Amino acid sequence: MYSKTVQGDLPTTELARWRLKTEDGRQTWHYLKTDEEVAAWPQSVADKYHLGLPTDLPILPTPGTPLDAARNGLSFFSKLQLSEGQWACEYGGPMFLLPATMIAYFVTNSEIPEEWRIEIQRYLAARAHPEDGGWGLHIEGESTVFGTALNYVVLRIVGMSPDHPVCIRARKTLHSLGGALQSPLWGKVMLSLMGCYRWEGVNPIPPELWLLPNWVPFHPWRWWVHNRQVFLAMSYLYSLKKARPVDDITIALRKELYVESYDSIDFSLHRNTVAPKDIYHPHTKALDALNEILAVWGKWICPSKLQEIARNHVYKLIKLEDENSDYCCLGPVNNPLNFVARYFTEGESHAVNMHRETIKDFLWMKNEGMLANGTDGVQCWDTSFLIQGVIECGFGEDPQYRDMLIKALQFLDTQQIREEPKEKDFSYRQQRKGAWPFSKRAQGYTVCDTTAEGLKSVLLLQDVPGMPKLVSDERLQDSVEVLLTMQNANGGFASYELIRAGPWLESLNAAEVFGRIMVEYPYPECSTATIMGLQQFVKTYPNHPRRTRIENVVGRTVQYIKKAQEPDGSWYGSWGICFTYATMFATEALKSTGETYENSPTMRKAVEFLLSKQRDDGGWGESYKSCETGIYTEHKETQVVNTAWAVIALMNAGYKERGPIERGIKLIMRRQQPNGEWLQEAIEGVFNKSCMISYPNYKFTFTIKALGIYARIFGNEVC
Ligand code: LAN
């Protein structure tokens, strides 16, 4: 990750006054203004750690064995557990989320607190590209118009002067890229809401598409849920064509963002004007043709009555999304867009106030300042991995970890989703009763692998002698039922829903900056996690009536995973970077049905792939470029997280040669700090092929897991 750049004379808040609050899984940062408040609410170790303040955690005895190292890691990581039992962390990386949240705040006349203003300026200054001062799609990417134009707008919204060196550099880069006219679609929409672009320069996003009969192969209900929910809100806003009233700041921004004079631009000619640097997925001819047809349709043909019917229909779906997620929404793009949609329609209202609040669930404070997370947290996901790591180490019954584990179990108990969404079928939702979300219960979305990891972790913990049984058989069964609804015809599992249309729909991908965004795909990672959860259930309930069905599901999944193997023996990872991530999962699935290095050509190839990528220092290191290009690309440094994934994969394969595995383990041990922590290295995660996202807790959870598995298989020693 980039190191800090010169920040000019930016003020800062007092980091010692920030606190992370957790209420039923909802995590929000608070700035304490008075000394009384500070005295009444002391800063926790987790607060300090996340803010980059000294934690003063003790230096631990130098670990002599892998399990000593795991214990040291846990000694540190356990201090970061929040009071409700979960782990939190920064979940940044994407650089278009803070703009979505702040533009929504601005457009809806919401007051942006002073401490946010200060810290957002600091964050954007710290994360400006060290060479040109712009921003990219994500923190490690090159500057683009999308990143630079929108974050420039954020800086101005939060009060930075256009004459500040950070703005001057960013503007220069923006202009050298062609200015805001070159924004991709989502940028054009956000700028239009601001009144800094014109709706006639936005390609059609017609709400009428929602009125098509469901059998139509490209109906939006078939789209990947993230793209669908963003499209839903955008189609409504596009149809309203409203913007924030023009004032001094709009007039100033219109001058600053463009190379040409704003009033001279004929926006209708620039629907397809996008900077080459921004394009990951170029328009297909089919999309261009469709856009032209829809532009004529919208302008000349579509009766206004039909437009109104479509708008009302879409608005109903928007309201359902709000209500089914307690106004948190699926993510940090559709929440702010729904917020604006509701504000434009209802003015000040309960819904608008709720959005004003829930935007806070996405904001994160750290030493560099304030940013927007990719979700409303990583609560259930990271908590599940920590539990599994501890169990792998054989520490389940260790009294030292008892309280920590009970709290973790309590957290998962409270965060399981307990009921179906309102108007489930009308709003095209996947079954969710029994699911564990990625973040918190209120968000309300099932994901197959977050459910499965939650299920597996609860089963493992409740199996530990003396642990309370908090989640009943019935509720565990509910989660199994959710998983069983999610297998696709080819045997694989996708993310949130069943696959509802083929990859051909990608030819209508209008987002320009992302790949694989139109539909669900089967993923080896999600598929593995799902069957591991199901198999754990069968272990706990060997005589359960679902057993045969589960065995059948597992068999079909493993067939899918085998087919998904790349010719070099790896698997392409869609959610972590990259081949090492997916190979860890895929080998676990194969192992679960008895395949090993000795008896399976698939496993052997996987092992050969992994061994071929091990570096001289014993580690593995993959660059995010692997995700973009689909070709294994070395990071210039080896990475603790990639190394943990790779050694876990080799151990999954039952590879008997201790040497390469031990060298990886030794690297993990060498990189551990005297207080038990591992330091942040390169970014770990990805989505939609092109956008990277941080998973800072992986450097704890997967290292600990790797150390535990190693000790179990090879004995608790390294030479
Ligand atoms: C996530 C985070 C978790 C991730 C896993 C559980 C790891 C994965 O196995 C399944 C997919 C899922 C749930 C996932 C999907 C896409 C998300 C929500 C994200 C990568 C975090 C942020 C991203 C979201 C799409 C960001 C907003 C951007 C848009 C394009 C709308």
Side-chain angles (χ1 to χ4, degrees):
M1 293 190 190
Y2 293 132
S3 56
K4 275 195 187 173
T5 51
V6 182
Q7 294 193 13
D9 53 354
L10 291 175
T12 164
T13 62
E14 270 180 64
L15 294 184
R17 289 181 181 271
W18 287 93
R19 306 285 183 275
L20 182 65
K21 186 171 178 183
T22 171
E23 298 156 286
D24 201 7
R26 173 175 189 236
Q27 297 166 182
T28 47
W29 280 97
H30 299 262
Y31 189 63
L32 306 184
K33 304 246 168 59
T34 66
D35 292 345
E36 291 73 49
E37 285 174 299
V38 170
W41 184 357
Q43 206 165 32
S44 69
V45 175
D47 294 337
K48 290 183 191 160
Y49 175 78
H50 295 307
L51 292 162
L53 298 171
T55 53
D56 297 329
L57 288 176
I59 305 260
L60 301 166
T62 309
T65 66
L67 286 183
D68 285 348
R71 281 192 185 279
N72 282 4
L74 279 170
S75 161
F76 186 90
F77 197 54
S78 62
K79 305 287 186 323
L80 306 185
Q81 188 177 29
L82 302 191
S83 56
E84 292 187 304
Q86 81 275 35
W87 277 263
C89 63
E90 172 196 351
Y91 194 38
M95 287 306 284
F96 55 97
L97 304 176
L98 195 56
T101 58
M102 286 306 118
I103 289 176
Y105 247 61
F106 193 60
V107 172
T108 57
N109 256 319
S110 309
E111 163 139 4
I112 303 176
E114 187 58 20
E115 60 272 18
W116 295 11
R117 292 176 179 272
I118 294 172
E119 293 302 340
I120 287 172
Q121 293 189 35
R122 254 177 12 93
Y123 180 76
L124 289 178
R127 285 292 165 180
H129 195 285
E131 278 149 31
D132 61 26
W135 297 270
L137 180 66
H138 58 91
I139 50 177
E140 299 208 0
E142 290 172 30
S143 299
T144 60
V145 173
F146 192 35
T148 308
L150 292 183
N151 286 299
Y152 184 89
V153 168
V154 173
L155 280 177
R156 299 285 285 113
I157 288 177
V158 297
M160 188 180 271
S161 148
D163 302 323
H164 191 282
V166 173
C167 275
I168 295 175
R169 278 185 84 204
R171 207 164 52 236
K172 194 163 158 236
T173 295
L174 177 61
H175 288 192
S176 73
L177 291 167
L181 202 55
Q182 307 280 334
S183 297
L185 178 71
W186 290 17
K188 287 178 164 37
V189 169
M190 291 188 210
L191 292 173
S192 301
L193 296 172
M194 285 283 298
C196 295
Y197 191 90
R198 283 197 206 284
W199 282 109
E200 62 260 32
V202 177
N203 267 323
I205 320 177
E208 299 87 69
L209 278 187
W210 289 92
L211 298 179
L212 291 170
N214 284 346
W215 56 260
V216 173
F218 56 86
H219 190 295
W221 82 274
R222 299 172 185 278
W223 302 4
W224 185 50
V225 65
H226 274 280
N227 191 31
R228 173 166 94 238
Q229 296 293 22
V230 168
F231 174 81
L232 178 75
M234 281 190 181
S235 68
Y236 183 78
L237 293 163
Y238 174 83
S239 154
L240 284 186
K241 299 204 167 47
K242 270 203 189 179
R244 183 179 173 277
V246 178
D247 62 6
D248 290 352
I249 178 129
T250 335
I251 294 170
L253 276 171
R254 285 176 176 182
K255 285 208 186 87
E256 293 159 31
L257 291 171
Y258 292 88
V259 179
E260 46 290 271
S261 118
Y262 188 81
D263 293 325
S264 71
I265 302 170
D266 180 350
F267 283 88
S268 67
L269 302 178
H270 292 285
R271 287 191 279 115
N272 295 312
T273 305
V274 183
K277 269 254 166 86
D278 282 66
I279 295 186
Y280 180 80
H281 191 281
H283 285 195
T284 57
K285 288 207 174 78
L287 177 67
D288 283 338
L290 185 69
N291 276 335
E292 293 321 308
I293 295 168
L294 290 174
V296 173
W297 159 261
K299 196 162 179 198
W300 308 107
I301 304 174
C302 182
S304 57
K305 187 73 200 154
L306 187 65
Q307 267 180 29
E308 198 189 316
I309 294 171
R311 241 194 330 265
N312 290 340
H313 180 81
V314 163
Y315 199 61
K316 189 167 173 207
L317 289 169
I318 288 176
K319 280 161 100 176
L320 278 168
E321 162 70 350
D322 281 349
E323 285 159 25
N324 279 324
S325 64
D326 210 7
Y327 296 86
C328 175
C329 293
L330 175 60
V333 182
N334 83 319
N335 181 333
L337 292 174
N338 279 15
F339 184 9
V340 177
R342 303 223 45 180
Y343 179 81
F344 279 169
T345 314
E346 302 165 27
E348 285 302 330
S349 62
H350 172 68
V352 163
N353 273 327
M354 288 301 287
H355 277 291
R356 224 165 245 149
E357 275 304 301
T358 55
I359 290 279
K360 296 176 187 164
D361 305 17
F362 294 92
L363 299 179
W364 186 259
M365 182 60 202
K366 63 179 294 202
N367 52 347
E368 292 171 316
M370 183 174 259
L371 66 136
N373 277 347
T375 57
D376 53 325
V378 295
Q379 298 84 320
C380 288
W381 184 246
D382 281 350
T383 303
S384 295
F385 283 129
L386 183 275
I387 293 170
Q388 293 174 33
V390 175
I391 299 289
E392 290 288 3
C393 289
F395 298 157
E397 288 183 65
D398 191 324
Q400 205 186 329
Y401 302 117
R402 189 146 200 95
D403 287 351
M404 175 184 85
L405 292 178
I406 291 181
K407 278 168 75 183
L409 177 60
Q410 283 167 342
F411 184 77
L412 292 181
D413 169 37
T414 58
Q415 298 306 314
Q416 187 184 22
I417 299 172
R418 307 285 280 269
E419 69 288 317
E420 291 303 340
K422 239 169 65 184
E423 303 218 41
K424 171 173 169 287
D425 296 335
F426 177 79
S427 45
Y428 307 113
R429 294 288 300 269
Q430 182 77 31
Q431 183 169 324
R432 75 173 190 189
K433 182 174 173 224
W436 272 275
F438 181 73
S439 54
K440 62 174 187 284
R441 187 186 69 242
Q443 185 256 11
Y445 274 87
T446 179
V447 184
C448 61
D449 52 343
T450 62
T451 298
E453 300 292 1
L455 169 67
K456 182 172 161 189
S457 308
V458 169
L459 287 167
L460 286 170
L461 275 187
Q462 295 195 158
D463 209 32
V464 171
M467 271 287 157
K469 183 162 177 181
L470 303 180
V471 185
S472 66
D473 297 347
E474 197 188 335
R475 284 171 57 197
L476 292 166
Q477 238 165 254
D478 285 344
S479 79
V480 168
E481 293 305 319
V482 169
L483 294 176
L484 291 176
T485 64
M486 295 181 81
Q487 186 170 39
N488 291 291
N490 72 352
F493 287 79
S495 58
Y496 295 78
E497 295 168 338
L498 280 168
I499 298 170
R500 298 173 175 186
W504 66 270
L505 247 185
E506 220 56 63
S507 62
L508 303 184
N509 174 350
E512 290 134 355
V513 296
F514 305 115
R516 300 225 289 191
I517 194 171
M518 289 302 289
V519 288
E520 284 275 13
Y521 294 86
Y523 300 109
E525 307 95 299
C526 305
S527 304
T528 299
T530 306
I531 61 169
M532 297 314 295
L534 290 172
Q535 285 172 300
Q536 194 66 45
F537 181 80
V538 172
K539 273 189 207 144
T540 311
Y541 302 92
N543 302 319
H544 196 275
R546 282 300 200 196
R547 184 188 179 124
T548 320
R549 169 92 191 274
I550 290 175
E551 281 165 358
N552 180 285
V553 166
V554 170
R556 286 173 52 221
T557 307
V558 170
Q559 287 316 311
Y560 149 73
I561 288 177
K562 285 186 166 181
K563 282 207 197 100
Q565 189 175 33
E566 302 285 332
D568 69 355
S570 67
W571 282 265
Y572 176 82
S574 296
W575 308 109
I577 298 170
C578 175
F579 293 96
T580 41
Y581 181 69
T583 303
M584 168 182 69
F585 281 96
T587 48
E588 192 182 2
L590 298 173
K591 173 184 156 210
S592 76
T593 52
E595 301 204 18
T596 67
Y597 179 74
E598 261 90 44
N599 69 16
S600 153
T602 318
M603 277 294 209
R604 204 160 319 127
K605 272 179 90 180
V607 169
E608 279 158 17
F609 158 76
L610 290 162
L611 294 178
S612 75
K613 302 298 178 198
Q614 188 170 28
R615 309 254 282 262
D616 290 345
D617 65 0
W620 280 257
E622 243 190 300
S623 154
Y624 75 82
K625 293 277 172 201
S626 290
C627 311
E628 286 182 356
T629 60
I631 297 164
Y632 189 98
T633 312
E634 297 285 357
H635 194 285
K636 56 183 190 319
E637 319 283 352
T638 50
Q639 305 289 317
V640 161
V641 172
N642 288 138
T643 304
W645 291 340
V647 295
I648 294 173
L650 286 171
M651 294 188 287
N652 285 339
Y655 187 56
K656 294 274 166 22
E657 288 277 340
R658 180 189 185 121
I661 300 174
E662 188 175 42
R663 286 171 54 225
I665 290 290
K666 279 159 78 177
L667 178 131
I668 293 174
M669 290 174 70
R670 269 199 314 276
R671 297 252 175 113
Q672 190 175 31
Q673 304 299 299
N675 61 1
E677 74 173 308
W678 283 272
L679 300 179
Q680 183 60 35
E681 300 178 338
I683 201 158
E684 303 85 353
V686 60
F687 57 90
N688 301 121
K689 295 188 104 172
S690 60
C691 193
M692 305 308 136
I693 185 157
S694 312
Y695 285 83
N697 287 336
Y698 283 177
K699 62 182 176 284
F700 294 100
T701 49
F702 285 104
T703 46
I704 290 170
K705 184 171 180 180
L707 291 163
I709 301 178
Y710 176 88
R712 207 182 56 236
I713 297 182
F714 294 104
N716 185 22
E717 56 183 8
V718 282
C719 53

